[in-house]
């Protein structure tokens, strides 16, 4: 009985969790970051940490919500027909400053391990072009 009472109190006092729907631009941005992190076949701890940092700071998310967003992004990226669908959604949903911010986040992830692989650079450049962002933004 007390367990149910404490569970109810916990449910009432905890902050609500963010919901990241398929049309949420934050999910699209996170999926692009996940894609650019993994495109070269290597995922470093520094790249993973950078994604957590830029998503938490860029979207003012708690640690728990950031982790949920990354989990959803991994699933979305794995099931997407093409990563370009995320760039297309961002192009439609964000203004120029918002799109530029996403490209800067991408470069931050690419450079997190100290070197930009050719494939990573190509993805960022293509995403920027799809979003109408002029390069370079490193």
């Amino acid at each position: 009985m007390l367990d149910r009472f404490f569970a109810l109190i916990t449910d009432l006092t905890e902050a609500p969790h963010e919901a990241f729907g398929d049309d949420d631009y934050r999910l699209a941005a996170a999926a692009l970051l996940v894609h650019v992190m993994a495109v070269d076949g290597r995922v470093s701890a520094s790249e993973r940490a950078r994604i957590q940092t830029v998503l938490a700071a860029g979207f003012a998310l708690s640690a728990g919500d950031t982790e949920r967003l990354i989990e959803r992004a991994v699933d979305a990226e794995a099931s997407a027909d093409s990563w370009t669908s995320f760039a297309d959604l961002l192009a439609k949903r964000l203004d120029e400053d918002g799109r530029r911010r996403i490209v800067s986040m991408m470069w931050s992830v690419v450079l997190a391990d100290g070197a930009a692989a050719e494939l990573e650079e190509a993805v960022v450049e293509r995403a920027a072009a799809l979003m109408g962002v002029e390069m370079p933004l490193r």
Side-chain angles (χ1 to χ4, degrees):
M1 176 94 142
L2 279 176
D3 290 339
R4 280 193 261 157
F5 174 73
F6 288 124
L8 175 64
I9 295 298
T10 300
D11 287 345
L12 293 173
T13 59
E14 282 186 357
H17 299 299
E18 290 281 343
F20 303 106
D22 291 341
D23 63 341
D24 191 326
Y25 76 92
R26 298 171 301 176
L27 178 58
L32 273 180
L33 296 180
V34 166
H35 180 74
V36 79
M37 172 183 68
V39 73
D40 65 352
R42 295 181 314 259
V43 176
S44 70
S46 59
E47 288 171 323
R48 173 93 172 139
R50 184 65 53 92
I51 286 179
Q52 290 173 319
T53 300
V54 298
L55 289 175
F59 300 132
L61 298 173
S62 69
D65 285 336
T66 301
E67 197 54 41
R68 276 185 288 288
L69 176 57
I70 292 169
E71 289 171 9
R72 287 267 300 130
V74 167
D75 292 342
E77 197 276 332
S79 65
D81 290 335
S82 171
W83 64 266
T84 60
S85 62
F86 305 120
D88 291 340
L89 186 143
L90 292 166
K92 293 174 186 166
R93 299 282 309 275
L94 298 178
D95 63 13
E96 184 177 348
D97 288 339
R99 295 187 313 268
R100 291 175 67 79
R101 189 169 56 128
I102 300 303
V103 173
S104 291
M105 288 176 171
M106 292 177 76
W107 278 122
S108 180
V109 171
V110 165
L111 298 172
D113 61 2
E118 189 175 329
L119 282 173
E120 292 172 326
E121 287 183 10
V123 169
V124 176
E125 290 170 2
R126 178 74 176 128
L130 289 170
M131 290 188 283
V133 175
E134 290 188 31
M135 298 299 291
L137 282 178
R138 284 192 197 191

